[in-house]
Amino acid sequence: MDKRDKRILEYLQQDASMPVAELAEKVDLSVSACWRRIKALEENGLILKRVALVDRKKANLPMTVFVGVKTSRHSMEWFEAFQDTIAAIPEIVEAYRLTGNIDYLLRLVVPDIDAYDRVYKRLISKLDFTDVTSFISMEELKFTTAVPVSYI
């Protein structure tokens, strides 16, 4: 991994649809050399996939809700049921297992509070929780899918 590979990653994280010829010019490589580097980054798993980012407001999903989940159940059976449950709910776009006072943190995108309430009821109908705490985002201050390449 050299500086050109890192620059390729930086550009692709901003716009994965950039034509290879344009990207090659920006990183001072031939088109074929640039293409080979992109393919190598994909083959070694550093580039997982290329996706389109959807404007949530235009998709009628302007509300972000963070949900903190506590459970008294810490068995693999419960954990697998939890994973299956959240995988089946498309409004849950991120989920993390945490240390500390909250066991899991979920990020949901929904059109309104009524839609969130339906997701909440779907969650609690499937599994037992000790506590479910919701935090409604009032304003998005920063959102990016790009990761820093300086640590590679």
Side-chain angles (χ1 to χ4, degrees), residues 39-82:
K39 282 296 172 200
L41 292 168
E42 290 173 339
E43 288 169 5
N44 75 22
L46 197 53
I47 296 176
L48 295 175
K49 59 184 171 179
R50 301 182 201 195
V51 299
L53 298 178
V54 174
D55 184 312
R56 290 186 307 104
K57 289 180 182 173
K58 290 181 181 177
N60 192 33
L61 296 165
M63 181 179 282
T64 300
V65 181
F66 296 93
V67 178
V69 173
K70 292 182 185 180
T71 181
S72 60
R73 306 261 324 265
H74 294 282
S75 68
M76 282 306 294
E77 179 183 338
W78 188 93
F79 178 70
E80 289 168 359
F82 179 67

Side-chain angles (χ1 to χ4, degrees), residues 14-115:
Q14 296 306 313
D15 182 5
S17 68
M18 181 183 298
V20 177
E22 183 181 337
L23 180 57
E25 186 178 317
K26 289 181 180 286
V27 297
D28 197 28
L29 286 171
S30 70
V31 173
S32 59
C34 186
W35 180 250
R36 282 192 301 273
R37 286 176 181 249
I38 293 169
K39 282 296 172 200
L41 292 168
E42 290 173 339
E43 288 169 5
N44 75 22
L46 197 53
I47 296 176
L48 295 175
K49 59 184 171 179
R50 301 182 201 195
V51 299
L53 298 178
V54 174
D55 184 312
R56 290 186 307 104
K57 289 180 182 173
K58 290 181 181 177
N60 192 33
L61 296 165
M63 181 179 282
T64 300
V65 181
F66 296 93
V67 178
V69 173
K70 292 182 185 180
T71 181
S72 60
R73 306 261 324 265
H74 294 282
S75 68
M76 282 306 294
E77 179 183 338
W78 188 93
F79 178 70
E80 289 168 359
F82 179 67
Q83 283 186 301
D84 291 344
T85 299
I86 62 175
I89 301 173
E91 294 87 351
I92 299 173
V93 295
E94 294 181 68
Y96 301 91
R97 187 167 57 93
L98 306 176
T99 62
N101 293 332
I102 296 174
D103 296 309
Y104 301 95
L105 181 66
L106 311 176
R107 184 171 74 89
L108 289 71
V109 293
V110 291
D112 53 38
I113 197 70
D114 291 333

Side-chain angles (χ1 to χ4, degrees), residues 4-20:
R4 283 190 176 136
D5 290 328
K6 290 179 181 181
R7 289 183 61 210
I8 288 170
L9 283 173
E10 286 174 336
Y11 282 116
L12 288 178
Q13 286 187 96
Q14 296 306 313
D15 182 5
S17 68
M18 181 183 298
V20 177

